[in-house]
Structures are given as C-alpha cells and as structure tokens.
C-alpha cells in the first residue's frame, strides 16, 4: 500500500478500467459483451452529462481499482442510446449471448428504459422521490482487481468519494447492490452503510449512508 495513489481517471485510463472490470465482474451482462463495450460504458460515465468524480487507485502505475461516484444523468439510457448500433451489432454477431439468463434480463431492462424514456436522460443514481429535498451522491460502480483485493483499495476509494461528497454539500450517499452479493453487502456495512427498506419491508438492494449530522 506504500505505493498507492488515488487519481482522477481520464479517458486514457479507460482501457485499464475495462480490464479491471472484466477480471472483477466475470459473467456479468456487460462483461459478456467484451472489453470494447465495457470501455464505452465507462467512457459515457466519464464524459457524459454527469456531475461525477471518477477515481482510480494505482499501485505504482498499475490500476488496482476504480470507483465512479456522483450524480449520473442517463447512466444506462444514455449509454444505450449513444452505443445502440454498436451494441446491436455485438449481439447479432454473438447470438449465444441470448442464451444467458442474466444477459437476457439486462437486455430486456435496457429495452424498457429506451421505450419508456426515449428522449430524456434518466437520473439513475438518485431515488426520484427524494430529489426535491435530499441532495444525494450515488456510487455507480466500484471494482477492485482480484489480484489486489484484500489490501484496502476498495475502502480507500469509498472514503475518498465520501470526502468529495461532503465537500460538495451532499446530504447522503446511495448505491445499489446485488442482494445475493453478501461479500459486497458486508463491505459496505463495515463502512457505515445501511440497507434502505421499502414501506412494506422489502429490500431491493438499495443502501444509503447519511452525511448530514442531522440525519445520521
């Protein structure tokens, strides 16, 4: 960890981000589309119409992990619209992707997003019901290369994002996690994050961390 440095990511880092993503998230829907699709996804999060802070944790000159945080406008819908022809060709030339239940589920979700909101960007990192009165900072994605896991890179990235959120006046942070990813849930809880349950007691994977002392 002595050689660790946190830096804001640039477009030149996206190839490395893609490689880390592919190693950290094997089998995920985006990963099955290949490195170029992953790179395009993070390019949109970096350069799109967002208020984002995209950080990389470097060990010497090697990217050990990354975190994309902030307010994302059209994180999914904008990516799909911008890259629809590339993604369509990718699926057509790789028809076996449709055999994956995870990929089919994400494909159907993407199509619903485009149908329901064809013209406007969606704010996907913020609960709509809270937008009017709560300033919320979303963690869109965090990944650590398996070769560097267990050395504190994820914690360091999350704490830096939290520091930036506080400095910018956000009242809380939020993220979504797979309900079956117990390792990730435990990691977030160790950093003070809490599960956010619906009024009927169900949990969809939403977790929050209050930053305002009045709401802690």
């Amino acid at each position: 960890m002595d050689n660790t440095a946190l830096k804001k990511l640039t477009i030149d880092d996206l190839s490395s981000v893609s490689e880390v993503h592919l190693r950290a998230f094997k089998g995920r829907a985006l990963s099955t589309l290949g490195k170029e699709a992953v790179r395009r996804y993070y390019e949109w999060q970096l350069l799109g119409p967002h208020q984002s802070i995209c950080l990389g944790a470097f060990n010497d000159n090697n990217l050990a992990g990354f975190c994309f945080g902030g307010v994302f406008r059209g994180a999914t819908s904008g990516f799909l619209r911008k890259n629809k022809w590339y993604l369509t060709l990718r699926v057509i030339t790789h028809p076996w992707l449709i055999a994956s239940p995870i990929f089919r589920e994400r494909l159907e979700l993407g199509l619903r997003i485009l149908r329901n909101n064809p013209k406007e960007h969606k704010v996907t990192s913020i609960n709509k019901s809270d937008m009017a009165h709560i300033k919320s900072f979303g963690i869109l994605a965090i990944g650590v290369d398996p070769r560097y896991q267990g050395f504190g890179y994820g914690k360091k990235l999350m704490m830096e994002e939290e520091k930036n959120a506080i400095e910018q006046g956000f009242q809380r942070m939020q993220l979504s996690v797979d309900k079956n990813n117990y390792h990730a849930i435990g990691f977030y809880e160790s950093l003070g994050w809490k599960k956010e349950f619906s009024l009927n007691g169900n949990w969809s994977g939403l977790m929050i961390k209050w930053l305002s002392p009045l709401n802690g």
Side-chain angles (χ1 to χ4, degrees), residues 8-14 39-50 52-55 68 72 140:
K8 287 188 177 182
L9 296 168
T10 71
I11 194 168
D12 293 331
D13 297 312
L14 293 182
R39 190 200 66 78
R40 286 172 179 246
Y41 175 77
Y42 287 110
E43 180 182 60
W44 171 251
Q45 313 314 330
L46 182 67
L47 303 179
H50 318 299
S52 61
I53 298 175
C54 307
L55 300 174
F68 284 63
F72 293 88
L140 179 71

PDB file of all heavy atoms in Angstrom, residues 8-14 39-50 52-55 68 72 140:
ATOM      1  N   LYS A   8      -7.782  11.064 -10.256  1.00  0.00           N
ATOM      2  CA  LYS A   8      -8.965  11.146 -11.097  1.00  0.00           C
ATOM      3  C   LYS A   8      -8.671  10.464 -12.425  1.00  0.00           C
ATOM      4  O   LYS A   8      -7.622  10.660 -13.024  1.00  0.00           O
ATOM      5  CB  LYS A   8      -9.361  12.604 -11.312  1.00  0.00           C
ATOM      6  CG  LYS A   8      -9.986  13.247 -10.079  1.00  0.00           C
ATOM      7  CD  LYS A   8     -10.551  14.624 -10.391  1.00  0.00           C
ATOM      8  CE  LYS A   8     -11.243  15.204  -9.164  1.00  0.00           C
ATOM      9  NZ  LYS A   8     -11.842  16.534  -9.433  1.00  0.00           N
ATOM     10  N   LEU A   9      -9.611   9.662 -12.864  1.00  0.00           N
ATOM     11  CA  LEU A   9      -9.436   8.926 -14.106  1.00  0.00           C
ATOM     12  C   LEU A   9      -9.613   9.830 -15.317  1.00  0.00           C
ATOM     13  O   LEU A   9     -10.398  10.781 -15.296  1.00  0.00           O
ATOM     14  CB  LEU A   9     -10.438   7.777 -14.178  1.00  0.00           C
ATOM     15  CG  LEU A   9     -10.276   6.681 -13.111  1.00  0.00           C
ATOM     16  CD1 LEU A   9     -11.485   5.761 -13.105  1.00  0.00           C
ATOM     17  CD2 LEU A   9      -8.995   5.891 -13.345  1.00  0.00           C
ATOM     18  N   THR A  10      -8.890   9.509 -16.375  1.00  0.00           N
ATOM     19  CA  THR A  10      -9.024  10.205 -17.649  1.00  0.00           C
ATOM     20  C   THR A  10      -9.386   9.172 -18.718  1.00  0.00           C
ATOM     21  O   THR A  10      -9.374   7.960 -18.466  1.00  0.00           O
ATOM     22  CB  THR A  10      -7.729  10.921 -18.046  1.00  0.00           C
ATOM     23  OG1 THR A  10      -6.734   9.939 -18.407  1.00  0.00           O
ATOM     24  CG2 THR A  10      -7.194  11.778 -16.899  1.00  0.00           C
ATOM     25  N   ILE A  11      -9.670   9.668 -19.896  1.00  0.00           N
ATOM     26  CA  ILE A  11     -10.033   8.763 -20.991  1.00  0.00           C
ATOM     27  C   ILE A  11      -8.900   7.787 -21.299  1.00  0.00           C
ATOM     28  O   ILE A  11      -9.137   6.661 -21.749  1.00  0.00           O
ATOM     29  CB  ILE A  11     -10.429   9.573 -22.246  1.00  0.00           C
ATOM     30  CG1 ILE A  11     -11.131   8.663 -23.253  1.00  0.00           C
ATOM     31  CG2 ILE A  11      -9.228  10.290 -22.837  1.00  0.00           C
ATOM     32  CD1 ILE A  11     -11.800   9.411 -24.382  1.00  0.00           C
ATOM     33  N   ASP A  12      -7.668   8.181 -21.022  1.00  0.00           N
ATOM     34  CA  ASP A  12      -6.527   7.287 -21.270  1.00  0.00           C
ATOM     35  C   ASP A  12      -6.494   6.103 -20.312  1.00  0.00           C
ATOM     36  O   ASP A  12      -5.785   5.122 -20.566  1.00  0.00           O
ATOM     37  CB  ASP A  12      -5.215   8.076 -21.144  1.00  0.00           C
ATOM     38  CG  ASP A  12      -5.054   9.119 -22.228  1.00  0.00           C
ATOM     39  OD1 ASP A  12      -5.602   8.905 -23.330  1.00  0.00           O
ATOM     40  OD2 ASP A  12      -4.400  10.150 -21.987  1.00  0.00           O
ATOM     41  N   ASP A  13      -7.246   6.182 -19.211  1.00  0.00           N
ATOM     42  CA  ASP A  13      -7.262   5.094 -18.235  1.00  0.00           C
ATOM     43  C   ASP A  13      -8.357   4.068 -18.511  1.00  0.00           C
ATOM     44  O   ASP A  13      -8.421   3.031 -17.839  1.00  0.00           O
ATOM     45  CB  ASP A  13      -7.495   5.665 -16.818  1.00  0.00           C
ATOM     46  CG  ASP A  13      -6.376   6.586 -16.368  1.00  0.00           C
ATOM     47  OD1 ASP A  13      -5.201   6.199 -16.520  1.00  0.00           O
ATOM     48  OD2 ASP A  13      -6.690   7.695 -15.883  1.00  0.00           O
ATOM     49  N   LEU A  14      -9.235   4.340 -19.471  1.00  0.00           N
ATOM     50  CA  LEU A  14     -10.417   3.507 -19.636  1.00  0.00           C
ATOM     51  C   LEU A  14     -10.107   2.082 -20.092  1.00  0.00           C
ATOM     52  O   LEU A  14     -10.854   1.153 -19.768  1.00  0.00           O
ATOM     53  CB  LEU A  14     -11.387   4.171 -20.614  1.00  0.00           C
ATOM     54  CG  LEU A  14     -12.013   5.476 -20.103  1.00  0.00           C
ATOM     55  CD1 LEU A  14     -12.983   6.036 -21.117  1.00  0.00           C
ATOM     56  CD2 LEU A  14     -12.702   5.261 -18.762  1.00  0.00           C
ATOM     57  N   ARG A  39     -15.500  -0.614 -22.113  1.00  0.00           N
ATOM     58  CA  ARG A  39     -14.815   0.679 -22.230  1.00  0.00           C
ATOM     59  C   ARG A  39     -15.795   1.782 -22.607  1.00  0.00           C
ATOM     60  O   ARG A  39     -15.762   2.888 -22.043  1.00  0.00           O
ATOM     61  CB  ARG A  39     -13.700   0.588 -23.278  1.00  0.00           C
ATOM     62  CG  ARG A  39     -12.776   1.821 -23.304  1.00  0.00           C
ATOM     63  CD  ARG A  39     -12.018   1.930 -24.606  1.00  0.00           C
ATOM     64  NE  ARG A  39     -12.926   2.185 -25.727  1.00  0.00           N
ATOM     65  CZ  ARG A  39     -13.443   3.390 -25.990  1.00  0.00           C
ATOM     66  NH1 ARG A  39     -13.180   4.426 -25.225  1.00  0.00           N
ATOM     67  NH2 ARG A  39     -14.246   3.536 -27.020  1.00  0.00           N
ATOM     68  N   ARG A  40     -16.696   1.503 -23.541  1.00  0.00           N
ATOM     69  CA  ARG A  40     -17.684   2.502 -23.969  1.00  0.00           C
ATOM     70  C   ARG A  40     -18.625   2.869 -22.817  1.00  0.00           C
ATOM     71  O   ARG A  40     -19.033   4.026 -22.688  1.00  0.00           O
ATOM     72  CB  ARG A  40     -18.488   1.961 -25.157  1.00  0.00           C
ATOM     73  CG  ARG A  40     -17.708   1.942 -26.472  1.00  0.00           C
ATOM     74  CD  ARG A  40     -18.491   1.206 -27.554  1.00  0.00           C
ATOM     75  NE  ARG A  40     -17.786   1.196 -28.817  1.00  0.00           N
ATOM     76  CZ  ARG A  40     -18.197   1.821 -29.923  1.00  0.00           C
ATOM     77  NH1 ARG A  40     -19.325   2.530 -29.910  1.00  0.00           N
ATOM     78  NH2 ARG A  40     -17.506   1.750 -31.037  1.00  0.00           N
ATOM     79  N   TYR A  41     -18.965   1.893 -21.996  1.00  0.00           N
ATOM     80  CA  TYR A  41     -19.838   2.160 -20.864  1.00  0.00           C
ATOM     81  C   TYR A  41     -19.187   3.161 -19.913  1.00  0.00           C
ATOM     82  O   TYR A  41     -19.809   4.153 -19.524  1.00  0.00           O
ATOM     83  CB  TYR A  41     -20.145   0.858 -20.119  1.00  0.00           C
ATOM     84  CG  TYR A  41     -20.948   1.059 -18.857  1.00  0.00           C
ATOM     85  CD1 TYR A  41     -22.318   1.304 -18.918  1.00  0.00           C
ATOM     86  CD2 TYR A  41     -20.336   1.013 -17.611  1.00  0.00           C
ATOM     87  CE1 TYR A  41     -23.062   1.496 -17.757  1.00  0.00           C
ATOM     88  CE2 TYR A  41     -21.069   1.204 -16.452  1.00  0.00           C
ATOM     89  CZ  TYR A  41     -22.430   1.446 -16.524  1.00  0.00           C
ATOM     90  OH  TYR A  41     -23.152   1.652 -15.364  1.00  0.00           O
ATOM     91  N   TYR A  42     -17.940   2.913 -19.558  1.00  0.00           N
ATOM     92  CA  TYR A  42     -17.265   3.811 -18.625  1.00  0.00           C
ATOM     93  C   TYR A  42     -16.887   5.136 -19.280  1.00  0.00           C
ATOM     94  O   TYR A  42     -16.792   6.163 -18.607  1.00  0.00           O
ATOM     95  CB  TYR A  42     -16.055   3.120 -17.999  1.00  0.00           C
ATOM     96  CG  TYR A  42     -16.460   2.077 -16.997  1.00  0.00           C
ATOM     97  CD1 TYR A  42     -16.281   0.715 -17.256  1.00  0.00           C
ATOM     98  CD2 TYR A  42     -17.067   2.446 -15.803  1.00  0.00           C
ATOM     99  CE1 TYR A  42     -16.688  -0.246 -16.344  1.00  0.00           C
ATOM    100  CE2 TYR A  42     -17.473   1.496 -14.878  1.00  0.00           C
ATOM    101  CZ  TYR A  42     -17.286   0.152 -15.151  1.00  0.00           C
ATOM    102  OH  TYR A  42     -17.701  -0.795 -14.246  1.00  0.00           O
ATOM    103  N   GLU A  43     -16.690   5.135 -20.575  1.00  0.00           N
ATOM    104  CA  GLU A  43     -16.457   6.392 -21.281  1.00  0.00           C
ATOM    105  C   GLU A  43     -17.678   7.302 -21.139  1.00  0.00           C
ATOM    106  O   GLU A  43     -17.547   8.513 -20.919  1.00  0.00           O
ATOM    107  CB  GLU A  43     -16.169   6.125 -22.750  1.00  0.00           C
ATOM    108  CG  GLU A  43     -15.919   7.401 -23.559  1.00  0.00           C
ATOM    109  CD  GLU A  43     -15.683   7.099 -25.031  1.00  0.00           C
ATOM    110  OE1 GLU A  43     -16.596   6.515 -25.662  1.00  0.00           O
ATOM    111  OE2 GLU A  43     -14.606   7.429 -25.540  1.00  0.00           O
ATOM    112  N   TRP A  44     -18.869   6.715 -21.253  1.00  0.00           N
ATOM    113  CA  TRP A  44     -20.092   7.508 -21.100  1.00  0.00           C
ATOM    114  C   TRP A  44     -20.215   8.061 -19.676  1.00  0.00           C
ATOM    115  O   TRP A  44     -20.588   9.213 -19.469  1.00  0.00           O
ATOM    116  CB  TRP A  44     -21.312   6.664 -21.444  1.00  0.00           C
ATOM    117  CG  TRP A  44     -22.613   7.345 -21.109  1.00  0.00           C
ATOM    118  CD1 TRP A  44     -23.478   7.026 -20.118  1.00  0.00           C
ATOM    119  CD2 TRP A  44     -23.170   8.492 -21.763  1.00  0.00           C
ATOM    120  NE1 TRP A  44     -24.543   7.886 -20.098  1.00  0.00           N
ATOM    121  CE2 TRP A  44     -24.374   8.801 -21.107  1.00  0.00           C
ATOM    122  CE3 TRP A  44     -22.771   9.294 -22.831  1.00  0.00           C
ATOM    123  CZ2 TRP A  44     -25.193   9.866 -21.478  1.00  0.00           C
ATOM    124  CZ3 TRP A  44     -23.582  10.358 -23.213  1.00  0.00           C
ATOM    125  CH2 TRP A  44     -24.770  10.628 -22.538  1.00  0.00           C
ATOM    126  N   GLN A  45     -19.872   7.256 -18.686  1.00  0.00           N
ATOM    127  CA  GLN A  45     -19.956   7.724 -17.301  1.00  0.00           C
ATOM    128  C   GLN A  45     -18.918   8.812 -17.025  1.00  0.00           C
ATOM    129  O   GLN A  45     -19.159   9.717 -16.223  1.00  0.00           O
ATOM    130  CB  GLN A  45     -19.753   6.558 -16.320  1.00  0.00           C
ATOM    131  CG  GLN A  45     -20.546   5.300 -16.610  1.00  0.00           C
ATOM    132  CD  GLN A  45     -22.014   5.543 -16.938  1.00  0.00           C
ATOM    133  OE1 GLN A  45     -22.636   6.503 -16.471  1.00  0.00           O
ATOM    134  NE2 GLN A  45     -22.585   4.672 -17.759  1.00  0.00           N
ATOM    135  N   LEU A  46     -17.795   8.743 -17.718  1.00  0.00           N
ATOM    136  CA  LEU A  46     -16.731   9.734 -17.518  1.00  0.00           C
ATOM    137  C   LEU A  46     -17.012  11.040 -18.252  1.00  0.00           C
ATOM    138  O   LEU A  46     -16.779  12.126 -17.705  1.00  0.00           O
ATOM    139  CB  LEU A  46     -15.396   9.146 -17.996  1.00  0.00           C
ATOM    140  CG  LEU A  46     -14.152  10.037 -17.830  1.00  0.00           C
ATOM    141  CD1 LEU A  46     -13.820  10.237 -16.360  1.00  0.00           C
ATOM    142  CD2 LEU A  46     -12.958   9.419 -18.553  1.00  0.00           C
ATOM    143  N   LEU A  47     -17.524  10.937 -19.485  1.00  0.00           N
ATOM    144  CA  LEU A  47     -17.647  12.117 -20.343  1.00  0.00           C
ATOM    145  C   LEU A  47     -19.080  12.583 -20.557  1.00  0.00           C
ATOM    146  O   LEU A  47     -19.294  13.644 -21.153  1.00  0.00           O
ATOM    147  CB  LEU A  47     -17.011  11.822 -21.711  1.00  0.00           C
ATOM    148  CG  LEU A  47     -15.542  11.395 -21.699  1.00  0.00           C
ATOM    149  CD1 LEU A  47     -15.065  11.124 -23.118  1.00  0.00           C
ATOM    150  CD2 LEU A  47     -14.670  12.444 -21.030  1.00  0.00           C
ATOM    151  N   GLY A  48     -20.064  11.816 -20.103  1.00  0.00           N
ATOM    152  CA  GLY A  48     -21.462  12.183 -20.312  1.00  0.00           C
ATOM    153  C   GLY A  48     -21.873  13.381 -19.471  1.00  0.00           C
ATOM    154  O   GLY A  48     -21.059  13.970 -18.751  1.00  0.00           O
ATOM    155  N   PRO A  49     -23.167  13.751 -19.528  1.00  0.00           N
ATOM    156  CA  PRO A  49     -23.660  14.956 -18.849  1.00  0.00           C
ATOM    157  C   PRO A  49     -23.884  14.726 -17.358  1.00  0.00           C
ATOM    158  O   PRO A  49     -24.977  14.922 -16.822  1.00  0.00           O
ATOM    159  CB  PRO A  49     -24.983  15.223 -19.578  1.00  0.00           C
ATOM    160  CG  PRO A  49     -25.479  13.854 -19.927  1.00  0.00           C
ATOM    161  CD  PRO A  49     -24.242  13.059 -20.281  1.00  0.00           C
ATOM    162  N   HIS A  50     -22.842  14.285 -16.691  1.00  0.00           N
ATOM    163  CA  HIS A  50     -22.956  13.922 -15.287  1.00  0.00           C
ATOM    164  C   HIS A  50     -22.176  14.896 -14.397  1.00  0.00           C
ATOM    165  O   HIS A  50     -21.323  15.652 -14.873  1.00  0.00           O
ATOM    166  CB  HIS A  50     -22.418  12.507 -15.053  1.00  0.00           C
ATOM    167  CG  HIS A  50     -22.814  11.514 -16.091  1.00  0.00           C
ATOM    168  ND1 HIS A  50     -24.135  11.196 -16.334  1.00  0.00           N
ATOM    169  CD2 HIS A  50     -22.081  10.779 -16.964  1.00  0.00           C
ATOM    170  CE1 HIS A  50     -24.200  10.296 -17.306  1.00  0.00           C
ATOM    171  NE2 HIS A  50     -22.959  10.040 -17.711  1.00  0.00           N
ATOM    172  N   SER A  52     -19.850  13.935 -11.994  1.00  0.00           N
ATOM    173  CA  SER A  52     -19.221  12.714 -11.500  1.00  0.00           C
ATOM    174  C   SER A  52     -17.791  12.946 -11.035  1.00  0.00           C
ATOM    175  O   SER A  52     -17.104  13.865 -11.472  1.00  0.00           O
ATOM    176  CB  SER A  52     -19.231  11.638 -12.597  1.00  0.00           C
ATOM    177  OG  SER A  52     -18.492  12.074 -13.727  1.00  0.00           O
ATOM    178  N   ILE A  53     -17.381  12.066 -10.122  1.00  0.00           N
ATOM    179  CA  ILE A  53     -15.995  12.001  -9.656  1.00  0.00           C
ATOM    180  C   ILE A  53     -15.545  10.564  -9.875  1.00  0.00           C
ATOM    181  O   ILE A  53     -16.010   9.643  -9.191  1.00  0.00           O
ATOM    182  CB  ILE A  53     -15.868  12.394  -8.181  1.00  0.00           C
ATOM    183  CG1 ILE A  53     -16.331  13.840  -7.978  1.00  0.00           C
ATOM    184  CG2 ILE A  53     -14.432  12.221  -7.705  1.00  0.00           C
ATOM    185  CD1 ILE A  53     -16.350  14.273  -6.526  1.00  0.00           C
ATOM    186  N   CYS A  54     -14.678  10.360 -10.842  1.00  0.00           N
ATOM    187  CA  CYS A  54     -14.247   9.022 -11.246  1.00  0.00           C
ATOM    188  C   CYS A  54     -12.803   8.828 -10.803  1.00  0.00           C
ATOM    189  O   CYS A  54     -11.897   9.518 -11.283  1.00  0.00           O
ATOM    190  CB  CYS A  54     -14.382   8.854 -12.760  1.00  0.00           C
ATOM    191  SG  CYS A  54     -16.035   9.274 -13.377  1.00  0.00           S
ATOM    192  N   LEU A  55     -12.602   7.920  -9.875  1.00  0.00           N
ATOM    193  CA  LEU A  55     -11.299   7.752  -9.243  1.00  0.00           C
ATOM    194  C   LEU A  55     -10.679   6.394  -9.552  1.00  0.00           C
ATOM    195  O   LEU A  55     -11.383   5.398  -9.714  1.00  0.00           O
ATOM    196  CB  LEU A  55     -11.437   7.879  -7.722  1.00  0.00           C
ATOM    197  CG  LEU A  55     -11.973   9.196  -7.163  1.00  0.00           C
ATOM    198  CD1 LEU A  55     -12.168   9.077  -5.659  1.00  0.00           C
ATOM    199  CD2 LEU A  55     -11.026  10.345  -7.494  1.00  0.00           C
ATOM    200  N   PHE A  68     -16.697   5.044  -9.557  1.00  0.00           N
ATOM    201  CA  PHE A  68     -17.402   6.110 -10.257  1.00  0.00           C
ATOM    202  C   PHE A  68     -18.541   6.592  -9.359  1.00  0.00           C
ATOM    203  O   PHE A  68     -19.477   5.833  -9.083  1.00  0.00           O
ATOM    204  CB  PHE A  68     -17.961   5.603 -11.591  1.00  0.00           C
ATOM    205  CG  PHE A  68     -16.930   5.450 -12.672  1.00  0.00           C
ATOM    206  CD1 PHE A  68     -15.881   4.545 -12.539  1.00  0.00           C
ATOM    207  CD2 PHE A  68     -16.996   6.211 -13.824  1.00  0.00           C
ATOM    208  CE1 PHE A  68     -14.926   4.398 -13.531  1.00  0.00           C
ATOM    209  CE2 PHE A  68     -16.050   6.079 -14.833  1.00  0.00           C
ATOM    210  CZ  PHE A  68     -15.006   5.170 -14.688  1.00  0.00           C
ATOM    211  N   PHE A  72     -25.465  10.904 -11.780  1.00  0.00           N
ATOM    212  CA  PHE A  72     -25.386  10.404 -13.149  1.00  0.00           C
ATOM    213  C   PHE A  72     -26.731  10.585 -13.841  1.00  0.00           C
ATOM    214  O   PHE A  72     -27.754  10.096 -13.363  1.00  0.00           O
ATOM    215  CB  PHE A  72     -24.973   8.931 -13.155  1.00  0.00           C
ATOM    216  CG  PHE A  72     -23.569   8.719 -12.661  1.00  0.00           C
ATOM    217  CD1 PHE A  72     -23.322   8.549 -11.304  1.00  0.00           C
ATOM    218  CD2 PHE A  72     -22.503   8.734 -13.537  1.00  0.00           C
ATOM    219  CE1 PHE A  72     -22.036   8.373 -10.832  1.00  0.00           C
ATOM    220  CE2 PHE A  72     -21.204   8.556 -13.074  1.00  0.00           C
ATOM    221  CZ  PHE A  72     -20.966   8.382 -11.728  1.00  0.00           C
ATOM    222  N   LEU A 140     -22.012   4.696  -8.497  1.00  0.00           N
ATOM    223  CA  LEU A 140     -22.495   3.952  -9.655  1.00  0.00           C
ATOM    224  C   LEU A 140     -21.767   2.628  -9.815  1.00  0.00           C
ATOM    225  O   LEU A 140     -22.372   1.593 -10.113  1.00  0.00           O
ATOM    226  CB  LEU A 140     -22.323   4.781 -10.923  1.00  0.00           C
ATOM    227  CG  LEU A 140     -22.767   4.109 -12.221  1.00  0.00           C
ATOM    228  CD1 LEU A 140     -24.286   3.999 -12.264  1.00  0.00           C
ATOM    229  CD2 LEU A 140     -22.253   4.861 -13.443  1.00  0.00           C
TER     230      LEU A 140
END
